[in-house]
Amino acid sequence: MSSSVRVRFAPSPTGPLHIGGVRTALYNYLFARKMGGTFILRIEDTDQTRFVPGAEQYILESLAWLGISPDEGVGADGPHAPYRQSERKELYKAYADQLIREEKAYYAFDTSEELDAMRTMFESKGSAFQYNALTRVKLRNSLALPAAEVQALLDANTPYVIRLKVPAKGEIRFQDSVRDWVHVHTSSIDDKVLMKSDGMPTYHLANVVDDHIMEITHVIRGEEWLPSAPLHILLYQAFGWTAPQFAHLPLLLKPEGNGKLSKRDADLGGFPVFPMEWTDPQTGAVSKGFKQEGYLPEATLNFLAFLGWNPGTEQELFSLTELVDAFSLERINKAGAKFDVNKAKWFNEQYLKQQAPELLAKEYLGHLPAEQGLAFVSLFLDRITFPQELSTLVAAFIEKPSNYEEAVIQNKWNAEAEKGLRLLADALPKVAVWQADEIKHAIHECLEAAGIKMGKVMQILRVALSGNGAGPDLMISMQLWGKDQVVERLTAALQAFPKNS
RNA sequence: GGUCCGUUCGUCUAGGGGUUAGGACACGUCCCUUUCACGGAUGAAACACGGGUUCGAUUCCCGUACGGACUACCA
């Protein structure tokens, strides 16, 4: 028995991995790395009806994109293979049978319809139906029925489920790494189904069995599992196993209003809730992904890490290795965190500025000469949130203005400005070395000689050349446009602008 | 309805029995700049409420309110 830390991320392949799931994976990864442990990926595909083709692949690709791929498990192999629960079906059956033999679990023959009927009946009386120590004696199961009848039902291949025999009295308590002591009475836990009638285990059984067999030391998962944690403890006790340490993570909430973050929020808010783009194989509907929106993996990771955890210092920018260093379960918050797209964008801007300009130029401005691409990157980098904006910004920059910003013309276009522009139209072609500082010098001299202040002309010059009243450094812009282009644009503008009387 | 969990600026959060309750995003103002952006400075902005305990509570305890999760042969 090794004492080293082993954690797992155990998603169901029922669709694209939700961003909250990504954060769970991240925290598991960080903790594993921090402790020198192992990060395992297990696929929990025990619900055959909800299986979505491509989902597993999507999970793997998403983790790979973020650089938090598993050390062991699906996509990485390992000593406990297979890591897909559907491929471990027989195993669970054996453990369920063991509990039957030890009388810690029992067969139940009630049909879904019968149970539904019970629920509606209880509901009409204003209470909730629970399959538990109180009700099971009156239901169709191996605890209530005579042994001979049970055997007969079994022999006749009557569909059945296996349920855990939860004790009527008792208190379950465990110490959660995030929430400290949590206690609950067994009376509020019902006799959960362990094995479904299709022969597949439920989450609860498969999860506990696998976590034990795979020697998982810490279960780090979303808060939605907190209510079933006591049941899992019960299961560990039934098997006589030591339960792992639990850490239940706070939920990721909607940016506005209440409730947990959902796919709908993404559609409404125009931001992604999935790491990568996802096309629904059924409907063909496409959901946005962080990757395709232009979020860098480092930024996504950093943003996600801070949703529910913080290092306790004022540092906010953390590389993955720095996160590993700083991470601890104790500093995870209890309360849910609202997803704030502004913060995500800010992180992206920070990491974007740290990117190698050569790489950005190559990737987004590859159609231009390298030197020119680089010049554009430095011109636009601190004005953008997503790298692909580089392409559109540069395309617009290269395009001749098709119209001129009206408001600026209204305010700044007057006889003096016109005089200035005409002088520049004469002076600019004579600039010997077409370089930003030389251009600036020439403009300066030209206007000064005429007694015109720079401020009176510069913005209108910008509009004349680019069409816009605001934009990047004009002198460098002019250098990049080239002398001929600048003269051409200036001449065109002089013609297009209204006449001053 | 029941069980469990939670609650510090609009948002993410630090803090913790005595603090000018700190930082970041977003927002406002100013500076830088020919403009915008970046950057810098600065401002507005919070301890859900009520009871205890205490010399003192935002911090500890108990209630209330509000929010959330769960309550399937889904995970």
Side-chain angles (χ1 to χ4, degrees), chain A residues 233-430:
Chain A
I233 301 272
L234 228 34
L235 231 24
Y236 282 104
Q237 288 174 357
F239 284 117
W241 299 334
T242 309
Q245 176 65 40
F246 288 102
H248 288 94
L249 270 23
L251 259 20
L252 256 34
L253 273 16
K254 292 179 188 297
E256 276 164 44
N258 307 311
K260 75 174 173 181
L261 187 66
S262 70
K263 185 176 176 299
R264 241 182 89 72
D265 297 306
D267 302 336
L268 258 38
F271 55 84
V273 296
F274 299 123
M276 301 196 310
E277 197 170 88
W278 167 261
T279 308
D280 188 304
Q282 291 283 301
T283 65
V286 178
S287 302
K288 290 167 186 281
F290 272 78
K291 183 182 177 185
Q292 286 74 14
E293 286 290 291
Y295 287 95
L296 301 166
E298 308 90 299
T300 308
L301 245 21
N302 201 154
F303 167 66
L304 246 27
F306 271 70
L307 243 33
W309 171 87
N310 75 84
T313 65
E314 286 184 359
Q315 185 183 347
E316 297 221 65
L317 262 18
F318 280 79
S319 69
L320 187 52
T321 29
E322 286 175 313
L323 283 175
V324 166
D325 245 27
F327 190 76
S328 78
L329 257 25
E330 290 69 36
R331 292 204 64 88
I332 294 174
N333 297 109
K334 292 177 171 66
K338 286 192 179 182
F339 182 98
D340 179 13
V341 74
N342 274 325
K343 195 81 175 222
K345 285 181 176 172
W346 179 78
F347 273 113
N348 213 49
E349 286 160 6
Q350 302 308 308
Y351 282 96
L352 201 50
K353 286 177 195 163
Q354 289 178 20
Q355 296 286 296
E358 295 77 14
L359 252 50
L360 287 170
K362 196 172 165 219
E363 175 117 21
Y364 296 95
L365 303 170
H367 55 292
L368 300 172
E371 198 185 331
Q372 205 181 5
L374 226 44
F376 280 129
V377 169
S378 78
L379 192 63
F380 289 116
L381 192 58
D382 57 13
R383 324 177 68 81
I384 61 174
T385 302
F386 303 114
Q388 69 271 25
E389 290 176 68
L390 236 29
S391 310
T392 51
L393 244 29
V394 168
F397 181 88
I398 290 171
E399 191 94 359
K400 284 183 193 118
S402 53
N403 55 352
Y404 301 100
E405 200 171 311
E406 204 53 51
V408 182
I409 306 244
Q410 295 270 313
N411 292 326
K412 301 282 173 76
W413 183 238
N414 51 38
E416 190 181 24
E418 181 170 353
K419 183 183 169 199
L421 278 204
R422 292 200 183 283
L423 287 170
L424 289 177
D426 282 340
L428 256 10
K430 294 173 196 145

Side-chain angles (χ1 to χ4, degrees), chain A residues 144-185:
Chain A
L145 269 19
E149 191 178 339
V150 171
Q151 198 51 54
L153 284 164
L154 253 20
D155 290 344
N157 281 325
T158 314
Y160 65 84
V161 298
I162 296 178
R163 286 183 182 269
L164 182 68
K165 189 176 159 189
V166 176
K169 288 199 179 80
E171 196 195 37
I172 304 293
R173 47 196 335 242
F174 65 97
Q175 196 168 23
D176 187 274
S177 297
V178 175
R179 277 146 229 286
D180 208 22
W181 285 102
V182 174
H183 16 96
V184 70
H185 288 96

Side-chain angles (χ1 to χ4, degrees), chain A residues 168-216:
Chain A
K169 288 199 179 80
E171 196 195 37
I172 304 293
R173 47 196 335 242
F174 65 97
Q175 196 168 23
D176 187 274
S177 297
V178 175
R179 277 146 229 286
D180 208 22
W181 285 102
V182 174
H183 16 96
V184 70
H185 288 96
T186 55
S187 61
S188 66
I189 304 172
D190 57 356
D191 290 357
K192 278 279 178 316
V193 171
L194 266 20
M195 290 294 288
K196 301 184 261 187
S197 56
D198 66 358
M200 276 290 195
T202 58
Y203 169 85
H204 306 292
L205 208 226
N207 190 265
V208 165
V209 166
D210 280 345
D211 282 348
H212 177 255
I213 291 176
M214 295 179 185
E215 300 175 73
I216 300 302

